[in-house]
Amino acid sequence: MTSSQQADVPVRDAHRDAVAPATDTASVRAASRAELVREALAEHAPRLLVRVRTAARVVRPIGWVLLATAIVLWTGAVALGWMEALVAAVVVTAVLALSVPFLFGRTVYDVDLDLTRTHVVVGERAVGALTLTNRSRRAILPSRVVLPVGSGRGVFEVPRLAPDAVHEELFAIPTTARGVLAVGPVSVLRGDPLGLFERTHDRNDAVDLYVHPRTTSLDGLSLGHLRDLEGLPVRQLARDDVSFHALREYQPGDDLRHVHWRSTARVGEVMVRQYEETRRSHFVVGLSTHPGDYRTPEEFELAISVAGSVGLRALRDSRTLEARVQRGPLRATNARRLLDELSSLEHSRPREGGIAALAGAVALHAPDAAVAVLVCGSSVDGAELRRACARLPYDVRVLAVVADTRVDAPALQRIGDADVVTLGTLEQLPRAVRKVLS
C-alpha cells in the first residue's frame, strides 16, 4: 500500500463520520414534523367533528336518501359509462344544489312562550300561548315554528308578518303519564320546499312542565298522631322533647312553671300551658323504587300516588314530613315540592336494595319518627315485609301499603307489630286507612 492509499482511508472514514450525523439529524426532523401533524390533528379534530355533526343535523332523512342516490349514480356513470346514470346524477345533484340556498338567511322573531300552568296532574291539559313579534323593519316571509314537548314536537305555520306585526298561537299539551316535560326551546325552521334540508334557530330557553301523579284526599284521617284501641288520638305529654299545644284550666298536680299568667289574669282562672311530644309529629314515608318490588309499571305508579296522598295529608296536618326512597330523601317542605319530586321519580338501581334496605335507611336517618309508612309493590312477600318492619325502632307505629293491581278490594292484615294494607286502586286508600285507624 502506498502512502497516498494509506492517506485515503482516514479521509473516507472522516467523510463517513461526517455524513452519519447529518442522516440522524434528518430523521429527527422528520419525526418532529410527524408529531406536529398529529398534534394539529388532535387539536382541530374536535372542532371539525362538531361542524360535521352540525352539518349532518341539517340533512333530513329524504335528503340522505338523495345524497346516497347521487353518489351511486355518479359512481355508475363514471365507472360503467352509463349515459342514463349520468343524466340522473346531474338531475339529482341539481336538485340538491338548488335546495341548499334556502338554508341561508335569518328569520328574526321576538318569541314569548307562556304556559298558564307549569304544574298539572296526569290527565289534565297544559294550556299555553306562543306569541311571535316582528321587530325588524322588513316583512318576514311565511315560516314554520317548532315547539318541542318532551320527545315530541308541535309545528306551527306562521304567515307573513309585516314590521311590528304580532302572531299568536294557542296550544294544549295532553298529559297521559307522570313526568317532567321540557317545553321548548322554540325554534324557527328554515328549509327547502322539498324537505331535503332543515335548519333551526332557537329563540328562548325551555320551560319545565311538571306532570304530578294522581292523589286522593284523606280528609278526616289525621295520621300525625298514634291512636289508641278506640281510635282516638293519643295525647302523651312529656316535659322533654315537647312543643306548645294549647291552654287549659289548672288541675291539681300541674307544674306551676307552666302557668300562663296573662291568660289567667284575663280569664280569672288559673290557665296552664299544655304540651305534646314533638316526636309525635314526625312522619316518615318510605317509598320503594326497587324495580324488583313491582310486578308491573302500573303498580309502581299506584305506589307513587299512595305515597303522595299520605304525604299531602301529613303536610296538611302541619306535621314534620320526611319522604325517602332508596337514593335518599325527597324534598318535601311543602305540597308542590313533594309532588314535583314524585313527578321525576324513576326506578333505583337493583344494587341499592329493596324495601328492607329502605327501612334500614329510615331507621338510621329518622330514629325519632312517630309513624312510618312503607310503600312497595306486590312482588314483596310477607317475609321481606316482616324483615323491613323489624328494622324500624320498636316504638314507631308502622303502616305498610302494598300496591297490587290484581285485588278488587283493600285487604288488611298484621305482620308482627305492623299493619299491612293491600290496595288495587288509589280510590281504595281512604277506606283502607280508615280501617287501620278504627
Side-chain angles (χ1 to χ4, degrees):
M1 181 180 295
T2 62
S3 59
S4 61
Q5 291 176 341
Q6 293 176 354
D8 288 343
V9 174
V11 172
R12 289 171 183 169
D13 293 341
H15 180 68
R16 187 183 302 112
D17 295 339
V19 172
T23 304
D24 294 341
T25 304
S27 63
V28 171
R29 289 176 181 174
S32 299
R33 290 170 185 172
E35 291 177 357
L36 290 176
V37 171
R38 286 196 297 268
E39 291 177 358
L41 290 176
E43 179 181 358
H44 297 288
R47 299 179 184 177
L48 181 60
L49 184 60
V50 170
R51 293 182 180 180
V52 170
R53 289 178 177 175
T54 303
R57 284 197 295 265
V58 171
V59 185
R60 303 288 294 168
I62 188 174
W64 287 113
V65 172
L66 285 185
L67 285 172
T69 303
I71 294 174
V72 171
L73 290 175
W74 279 112
T75 303
V78 173
L80 303 178
W82 289 351
M83 184 58 63
E84 295 82 357
L86 178 61
V87 173
V90 171
V91 172
V92 173
T93 304
V95 171
L96 293 172
L98 292 175
S99 300
V100 171
F102 286 93
L103 297 175
F104 299 99
R106 297 188 62 187
T107 304
V108 182
Y109 290 114
D110 280 352
V111 179
D112 181 25
L113 176 61
D114 181 25
L115 280 179
T116 56
R117 297 173 60 189
T118 56
H119 300 77
V120 297
V121 181
V122 173
E124 295 181 347
R125 287 176 173 264
V127 181
L130 187 63
T131 305
L132 300 98
T133 307
N134 180 13
R135 298 295 185 186
S136 63
R137 297 181 180 179
R138 298 179 180 179
I140 299 179
L141 296 177
S143 61
R144 290 181 298 163
V145 174
V146 174
L147 177 64
V149 180
S151 58
R153 69 176 190 172
V155 181
F156 303 96
E157 299 291 338
V158 182
R160 179 182 179 275
L161 289 185
D164 296 327
V166 179
H167 179 73
E168 186 177 35
E169 290 281 354
L170 300 179
F171 60 88
I173 304 174
T175 58
T176 58
R178 172 189 59 85
V180 181
L181 302 178
V183 182
V186 180
S187 301
V188 181
L189 294 182
R190 292 193 64 88
D192 59 279
L194 299 179
L196 304 180
F197 305 100
E198 182 180 274
R199 188 164 67 101
T200 62
H201 299 278
D202 294 343
R203 286 292 181 267
N204 60 353
D205 296 330
V207 178
D208 288 334
L209 173 63
Y210 290 88
V211 183
H212 291 166
R214 292 177 56 245
T215 57
T216 187
S217 176
L218 298 176
D219 292 336
L221 302 174
S222 179
L223 300 172
H225 291 275
L226 296 182
R227 295 177 181 261
D228 56 21
L229 296 178
E230 298 180 356
L232 299 176
V234 177
R235 299 289 184 177
Q236 296 183 1
L237 307 181
R239 295 184 180 181
D240 56 349
D241 192 18
V242 297
S243 63
F244 175 72
H245 176 63
L247 293 174
R248 62 171 176 80
E249 295 182 1
Y250 173 82
Q251 297 179 0
D254 288 340
D255 194 338
L256 295 179
R257 292 177 300 178
H258 298 158
V259 174
H260 193 268
W261 297 109
R262 290 186 179 180
S263 299
T264 300
R266 183 173 63 254
V267 176
E269 297 181 1
V270 180
M271 304 295 293
V272 295
R273 299 181 181 89
Q274 187 178 22
Y275 299 88
E276 64 178 355
E277 291 180 281
T278 55
R279 72 183 300 274
R280 294 292 171 188
S281 65
H282 194 174
F283 196 95
V284 180
V285 177
L287 172 62
S288 176
T289 55
H290 190 274
D293 288 351
Y294 299 93
R295 185 175 54 86
T296 62
E298 289 75 17
E299 285 189 358
F300 184 54
E301 296 300 323
L302 176 58
I304 292 176
S305 295
V306 169
S309 302
V310 174
L312 291 179
R313 179 69 261 177
L315 290 173
R316 292 192 183 101
D317 289 339
S318 299
R319 305 305 175 189
T320 302
L321 174 65
E322 179 174 348
R324 179 172 289 273
V325 295
Q326 271 82 351
R327 72 181 184 191
L330 303 179
R331 293 178 297 177
T333 55
N334 54 58
R336 172 168 289 187
R337 180 156 292 182
L338 170 63
L339 293 176
D340 286 349
E341 289 282 288
L342 294 177
S343 297
S344 59
L345 204 59
E346 297 179 352
H347 283 297
S348 58
R349 299 184 182 91
R351 61 180 176 82
E352 293 176 341
I355 189 67
L358 177 62
V362 170
L364 178 63
H365 297 282
D368 295 331
V371 179
V373 178
L374 302 178
V375 187
C376 61
S378 62
S379 296
V380 179
D381 56 15
E384 185 72 9
L385 275 177
R386 186 184 300 274
R387 186 160 48 252
C389 296
R391 293 193 174 188
L392 297 173
Y394 175 75
D395 56 347
V396 174
R397 177 72 177 274
V398 181
L399 171 62
V401 181
V402 179
D404 188 354
T405 55
R406 296 171 296 181
V407 302
D408 298 326
L412 175 62
Q413 59 178 326
R414 296 279 295 183
I415 295 182
D417 295 330
D419 294 310
V420 179
V421 176
T422 303
L423 301 176
T425 62
L426 182 62
E427 288 72 21
Q428 298 173 1
L429 179 62
R431 185 171 47 165
V433 174
R434 194 172 287 109
K435 285 184 177 181
V436 173
L437 298 181
S438 63

